[in-house]
Amino acid sequence: MYNVYPMILGIVDQLNDWNEKLNSFASEHMDNVAVGTVIFFAILLVMFWGIGSLNKKQ
């Protein structure tokens, strides 16, 4: 366990960096209603595509 502890800390540090970048991007661009609507419909489209592809009979 002690051998992988520095690797875990590195991963957590990288995740914190990504979180800060995503928060700064969101604070700049997500205040717009149009962006939220586009993201919502993109997620909805991916969801319907995924359900359709998983329900295909083989």
Side-chain angles (χ1 to χ4, degrees):
M1 178 67 184
Y2 294 113
N3 295 340
V4 296
Y5 188 69
M7 185 176 69
I8 293 171
L9 286 178
I11 292 171
V12 169
D13 190 37
Q14 184 68 32
L15 287 174
N16 284 334
D17 289 342
W18 288 350
N19 187 33
E20 290 175 8
K21 289 178 184 178
L22 285 173
N23 282 339
S24 67
F25 177 80
S27 68
E28 293 175 7
H29 297 92
M30 297 296 179
D31 291 336
N32 192 350
V33 174
V35 174
T37 305
V38 169
I39 290 172
F40 173 75
F41 282 114
I43 291 171
L44 199 65
L45 181 69
V46 169
M47 181 183 65
F48 281 125
W49 173 78
I51 291 171
S53 67
L54 290 174
N55 284 333
K56 288 183 181 177
K57 293 187 178 188
Q58 296 180 359

